Amino acid sequence: MAVTGAAGVLGERVAARLVASPGVKKVLAVDDRRGEVPGVQWRILDVRDPAVAERLAGVDVVVHLAMDLGMRCV
């Protein structure tokens, strides 16, 4: 299982809950910076990078929480 945006407030909470869940074997935390969630394996990258597919090989579920806070609605 992977969580994008794992260094953000919501991503940290979701990743921590998944790590604590007995039904989840492995959690990959994906973000453009490293966060503070213990028990996850970090993948430091931008989810807009095409290399994300290679870095998530073998993952069967992705919880996508990454967001661009710089976006503006017009």
Side-chain angles (χ1 to χ4, degrees):
M1 181 164 292
V3 178
T4 67
V9 174
L10 181 58
E12 282 187 343
R13 290 182 181 184
V14 170
R17 294 283 302 262
L18 290 170
V19 167
S21 174
V24 177
K25 295 179 183 178
K26 178 178 167 182
V27 178
L28 293 179
V30 180
D31 211 316
D32 59 359
R33 62 187 170 89
R34 187 178 179 90
E36 302 295 326
V37 183
V40 300
Q41 292 183 5
W42 282 96
R43 299 286 188 268
I44 308 301
L45 65 121
D46 188 326
V47 296
R48 298 171 293 181
D49 185 335
V52 74
E54 293 174 18
R55 303 294 302 272
L56 296 179
V59 170
D60 56 351
V61 175
V62 175
V63 179
H64 182 54
L65 300 174
M67 64 183 89
D68 184 353
L69 296 176
M71 290 180 63
R72 295 181 353 173
C73 295
V74 194

